[in-house]
Amino acid sequence: MNLIPLPAFQDNYLWFLHDGHRALVVDPGDAQPVMAMLQRESLQLEAILVTHHHMDHIGGVDELRDATGAQVFGPANERIPEPLIRLTEGDNTVVLGHTFHVIDVPGHTSGHIAYYCADVDGHPLLFCGDTLFSGGCGRLFEGTPAQMLASLDKLAALPGDTQVCCTHEYTLSNLKFARAVEPGNTELIHYQQRCEELRAGKLPTLPSTIEQERQINPFLRSRLEGVAQAARAHDGATPPDDVAVFATLRQWKNEFK
Ligand SMILES: [Zn+2]
């Protein structure tokens, strides 16, 4: 299988997976890069997987469906144009001969879902939309800190070698914030160096892995004493509970320059 992040807009990736004949695409905010790829490689688009309703994730769906006849899958409870096969946690769908499990991950939007496949060429694969980023997490537009923390807990519990396909190249700015939270995290320092080299070469920092994110992502580490202490030092009014610490981290990141 070939896994390719197609760049779109300022910093989006349209994740594209194909087996040489058939393809799927995740969150095609723009049809054009997908159409170009299908034509160049003579591929048939079998399915479009949508994680949430934001325009930079669905803007190309209608055009791609019309042009290719691909089936569209998306969240059960979001405002997304029909026809659409609506999915929620516990549902599975088989695409390109692989079973994708649906995980509800509310927080960025209220009905956001993620797609997890246990084995693509020997590794698990996760399409997580705008829920988990490398070194960060999505903004809370519709959900609460408690919802987002619970969603990230589910993703953090996936196997460590899971390839994490996030929808935005936000890694370097996320890591700047992560360094402010955990200045003594040596794995974070090394990871930042590797990502800076990749970006200097105009290469994606993604996919990441769940194990990598457990080591460097402050939003997956908010229960660690050092991270909680940093949050409380930033906002002395933070009560000593997990959700409050997470909420302070998210707010701190929103204001971080
Ligand atoms: Zn979004």
Side-chain angles (χ1 to χ4, degrees):
M1 301 293 279
N2 301 281
L3 178 67
I4 301 156
L6 299 176
F9 311 119
Q10 190 96 341
D11 50 32
N12 286 64
Y13 292 125
L14 319 181
W15 286 95
F16 189 91
L17 186 67
H18 75 88
D19 62 7
H21 305 282
R22 298 171 303 159
L24 71 79
V25 67
V26 184
D27 288 351
D30 185 4
Q32 192 278 325
V34 183
M35 290 303 296
M37 186 72 185
L38 293 170
Q39 277 156 16
R40 191 166 62 241
E41 303 287 327
S42 301
L43 300 166
Q44 174 69 38
L45 189 66
E46 181 173 307
I48 298 168
L49 308 183
V50 174
T51 64
H52 68 292
H53 68 83
H54 286 159
M55 206 54 194
D56 62 321
H57 295 250
I58 65 166
V61 168
D62 287 344
E63 186 181 338
L64 285 172
R65 184 202 293 111
D66 290 350
T68 67
Q71 274 197 314
V72 184
F73 299 89
N77 299 307
E78 299 235 325
R79 297 175 305 276
I80 297 170
E82 303 281 348
L84 173 78
I85 298 166
R86 294 188 176 271
L87 303 171
T88 189
E89 183 151 311
D91 289 338
N92 300 322
T93 181
V94 178
V95 179
L96 308 181
H98 288 68
T99 302
F100 286 84
H101 303 273
V102 175
I103 307 171
D104 284 338
V105 285
H108 177 68
T109 64
S110 60
H112 198 304
I113 61 172
Y115 298 86
Y116 172 76
C117 180
D119 186 358
V120 175
D121 294 342
H123 290 286
L125 183 65
L126 175 70
F127 296 120
C128 53
D130 285 353
T131 297
L132 175 61
F133 296 124
S134 186
C137 73
R139 284 179 185 260
L140 302 180
F141 288 120
E142 299 172 9
T144 64
Q147 282 179 317
M148 189 56 135
L149 181 58
S151 295
L152 292 175
D153 283 343
K154 289 189 209 175
L155 301 185
L158 294 172
D161 63 339
T162 301
Q163 299 203 78
V164 179
C165 302
C166 325
T167 318
H168 290 275
E169 182 59 69
Y170 289 160
T171 309
L172 290 187
S173 71
N174 285 340
L175 295 182
K176 229 172 110 188
F177 174 71
R179 289 287 302 276
V181 177
E182 286 193 283
N185 181 336
T186 50
E187 176 53 29
L188 176 56
I189 294 167
H190 294 143
Y191 183 61
Q192 188 181 33
Q193 284 166 353
R194 292 200 297 278
C195 290
E196 279 172 354
E197 284 167 19
L198 287 168
R199 294 310 292 151
K202 297 195 165 37
L203 293 170
T205 59
L206 303 167
S208 181
T209 65
I210 288 293
E211 180 53 32
Q212 181 70 72
E213 295 308 309
R214 286 183 198 137
Q215 291 178 27
I216 60 93
N217 190 323
F219 295 97
L220 299 190
R221 297 167 63 79
S222 61
R223 290 186 184 83
L224 296 180
E225 190 44 37
V227 175
Q229 260 172 21
R232 286 194 292 272
H234 178 74
D235 180 351
T238 304
D241 73 78
D242 293 346
V243 172
V245 166
F246 182 83
T248 293
L249 277 178
R250 187 55 261 184
Q251 187 58 35
W252 182 4
K253 173 68 168 68
N254 289 349
E255 297 154 1
F256 189 76
K257 297 262 185 327

